[in-house]
């Protein structure tokens, strides 16, 4: 990576602040760290896709309970809005307050995978745009490790997006988790809006492919 870093040339731009300079001091190292995180995230996303792709496992999800069809339909119709507890819980489901902890516990491992994927997806995008904005990228022959790493970074961005699109009912998964989390803790799920925006863009494979293109 050091060899590749040597191939980067700063564009003729105004002088950066010292903080910005420190942030960009070793972009190749940051590139390496982000790429190293990718394999684990992709494996975890595949596991969630496998779980939601299993018909028997999918039946166990709270949004597929017959008595919650109206709740699920309301959440899906209004997604990516934050699920309004008063709006979707109209009394006949008030006993769900007592089940919120269990639903939250059931969905949390999958929700955390989606959350961590979103965070890495954001890091990838920020690093790509930062490098494109701040540096004159070298030819492949001058810095093959760096240019190869940048190509890997673009592939990682696409693969996260496409895998998100292969997770069945990802919109309801994040809605039900946020809903049950707020019931169980009294606190709104702080990451919902950012995650819901990404899930909405990649809610199925076709949408994910369109998003990447």
């Amino acid at each position: 990576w050091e060899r590749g870093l040597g191939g980067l040339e700063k564009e003729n731009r105004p002088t950066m602040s010292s903080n910005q300079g420190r942030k960009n001091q070793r972009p190749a190292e940051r590139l390496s760290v982000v790429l190293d995180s990718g394999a684990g995230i992709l494996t975890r996303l595949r596991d969630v896709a496998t779980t939601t792709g299993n018909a028997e496992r999918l039946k166990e999800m709270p949004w597929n309970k017959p008595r919650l069809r109206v709740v699920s339909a309301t959440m899906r119709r209004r997604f990516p809005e934050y699920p309004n507890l008063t709006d979707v819980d109209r009394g006949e489901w008030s006993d769900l307050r007592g089940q919120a902890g269990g639903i939250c516990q059931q969905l949390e491992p999958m929700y955390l995978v989606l959350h961590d994927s979103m965070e890495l997806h954001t890091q990838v995008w920020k690093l790509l745009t930062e490098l494109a904005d701040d540096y004159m990228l070298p030819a492949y022959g001058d810095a093959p490790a760096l240019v190869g790493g940048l190509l890997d970074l673009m592939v990682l961005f696409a693969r996260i997006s496409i895998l998100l699109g292969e997770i069945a009912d990802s919109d309801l998964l994040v809605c039900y988790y946020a809903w049950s989390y707020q019931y169980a803790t009294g606190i709104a799920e702080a990451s919902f809006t950012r995650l819901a925006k990404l899930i909405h863009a990649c809610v199925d494979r076709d949408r994910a492919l369109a998003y990447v293109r």
Side-chain angles (χ1 to χ4, degrees), residues 31-169:
L31 178 60
S32 180
V33 169
V34 170
L35 289 174
D36 286 345
S37 302
I41 289 292
L42 294 175
T43 297
R44 293 168 66 198
L45 277 173
R46 289 190 197 97
D47 289 343
V48 175
T50 299
T51 296
T52 61
N54 182 301
E56 292 303 315
R57 295 289 299 276
L58 201 57
K59 287 179 184 177
E60 300 171 1
M61 300 303 169
W63 55 86
N64 284 324
K65 303 299 182 185
R67 59 192 298 275
L68 294 178
R69 284 175 184 164
V70 174
V71 174
S72 300
T74 301
M75 287 182 174
R76 175 158 277 165
R77 185 173 66 252
R78 298 190 176 178
F79 188 76
E81 293 180 13
Y82 194 98
N84 185 314
L85 273 62
T86 302
D87 212 26
V88 298
D89 182 10
R90 296 189 179 279
E92 59 263 45
W93 302 293
S94 59
D95 62 314
L96 279 177
R97 294 175 184 270
Q99 301 178 37
I103 293 173
C104 190
Q105 186 175 21
Q106 177 189 7
L107 300 181
E108 188 167 65
M110 291 186 292
Y111 184 88
L112 290 177
V113 173
L114 298 184
H115 174 274
D116 292 348
S117 300
M118 172 199 67
E119 295 290 2
L120 182 60
H121 193 269
T122 301
Q123 289 180 48
V124 169
W125 180 250
K126 285 183 177 179
L127 185 53
L128 280 171
T129 53
E130 181 183 317
L131 289 170
D133 184 52
D134 288 345
Y135 292 90
M136 294 288 290
L137 298 178
Y140 177 79
D142 296 330
L146 177 63
V147 176
L150 288 171
L151 291 173
D152 287 341
L153 200 63
M154 288 186 278
V155 170
L156 178 58
F157 181 87
R159 291 178 75 186
I160 291 173
S161 305
I162 293 168
L163 277 172
L164 285 171
E166 294 179 352
I167 296 173
D169 296 340

